[in-house]
Amino acid sequence: MGNWKYVEASQSYISGWIAGLVNVLSTFPINKVIFRQQINSFRFYVALRQVHKEGWHLLYRGVALPLCQKSVQVGLMYGLYETFYKNLPATKSDQRRIIYAASLTGVCEGLVATPFERGQSLLQTPAFHGKIKNTLDLRHHITSIRQWYRGFSAILIRNVSTNCMFFLFRNPLRDSLPTPQSYMGTIGVNFVSGACLGQSNVSLHTVILIDLL
């Protein structure tokens, strides 16, 4: 039984890691446009034109950090949640247990992800294009632990709140959708429920981006 728990937890880490990789590679260009809108108050077409003008060679500038950050963070989110949830003592309310596990997971994610998000924010900001050459060059511009963890408190609030919302409503929302009759149907239901929960958390990410700069 103990070995099965270990295998199940390992699967959660690996599945989350792969999901994070796919997420970043497929959404990085559009997220770059959104980032420009949020930071510079550009209209969508202005931000899109700016990214297009910079050229294809800069389209994935800074992708290494979010690739590492997101894959590790999502892997930790699923894996640590399962680990915490199964090892926490049972409570009268299962929702309380979910909140405890999700909150602990959010704290661990923040400790790992904040330096990555800090570097990513600087690399994507046009004002730093001429000052910071690439990911490795960040070490010459961010020289202390305090600077690497700028924005940690905001990230902590985001992670804990979004994790609690995600894990509290994941199963109820999924169960409210039509019962899938095939493997592809199951993927579709999971996609829709995940997309709805993800959309509800978008506004929190805007505040975090501004705090990191």
Side-chain angles (χ1 to χ4, degrees):
M1 187 70 177
N3 290 335
W4 172 247
K5 284 186 177 181
Y6 174 78
V7 171
E8 192 173 10
S10 298
Q11 289 177 339
S12 297
Y13 283 104
I14 294 170
S15 298
W17 179 73
I18 294 173
L21 289 176
V22 174
N23 179 296
V24 172
L25 291 174
S26 58
T27 62
F28 187 80
I30 189 62
N31 282 337
K32 196 166 192 175
V33 175
I34 294 171
F35 178 83
R36 300 288 175 86
Q37 287 185 272
Q38 293 169 337
I39 299 303
N40 300 309
S41 300
F42 288 160
R43 293 182 179 275
F44 175 76
Y45 72 89
V46 175
L48 182 64
R49 187 185 303 164
Q50 186 184 68
V51 172
H52 179 266
K53 187 176 180 180
E54 290 172 0
W56 292 102
H57 65 290
L58 288 179
L59 182 61
Y60 275 87
R61 172 184 160 88
V63 73
L65 284 175
L67 201 61
C68 294
Q69 174 250 321
K70 195 69 176 180
S71 59
V72 171
Q73 186 177 359
V74 177
L76 287 176
M77 186 182 82
Y78 285 100
L80 285 177
Y81 173 79
E82 293 294 333
T83 301
F84 284 133
Y85 181 82
K86 290 175 181 176
N87 286 282
L88 284 171
T91 59
K92 292 182 180 180
S93 171
D94 190 55
Q95 289 183 343
R96 184 180 300 176
R97 190 179 176 189
I98 291 173
I99 290 173
Y100 289 158
S103 298
L104 288 170
T105 300
V107 172
C108 293
E109 285 180 69
L111 290 170
V112 174
T114 300
F116 290 103
E117 295 199 43
R118 170 72 167 142
Q120 176 191 349
S121 298
L122 295 181
L123 284 171
Q124 289 190 22
T125 304
F128 293 99
H129 281 184
K131 300 176 182 178
I132 303 175
K133 297 177 182 179
N134 50 44
T135 301
L136 294 177
D137 193 40
L138 281 168
R139 70 185 188 277
H140 299 302
H141 300 270
I142 308 177
T143 56
S144 67
I145 296 296
R146 184 183 181 87
Q147 290 179 3
W148 277 111
Y149 276 88
R150 179 177 177 180
F152 175 70
S153 57
I155 287 176
L156 200 61
I157 293 170
R158 180 200 66 188
N159 287 355
V160 170
S161 58
T162 55
N163 279 4
C164 288
M165 186 180 295
F166 178 82
F167 288 111
L168 278 171
F169 294 104
R170 177 179 59 168
N171 290 336
L173 181 57
R174 186 170 55 194
D175 293 342
S176 69
L177 296 171
T179 303
Q181 303 297 323
S182 64
Y183 177 72
M184 292 304 296
T186 301
I187 293 177
V189 167
N190 288 334
F191 177 82
V192 171
S193 60
C196 291
L197 289 171
Q199 181 60 33
S200 66
N201 295 326
V202 166
S203 58
L204 284 171
H205 289 255
T206 304
V207 177
I208 308 309
L209 283 170
I210 294 172
D211 194 52
L212 281 166
L213 289 172

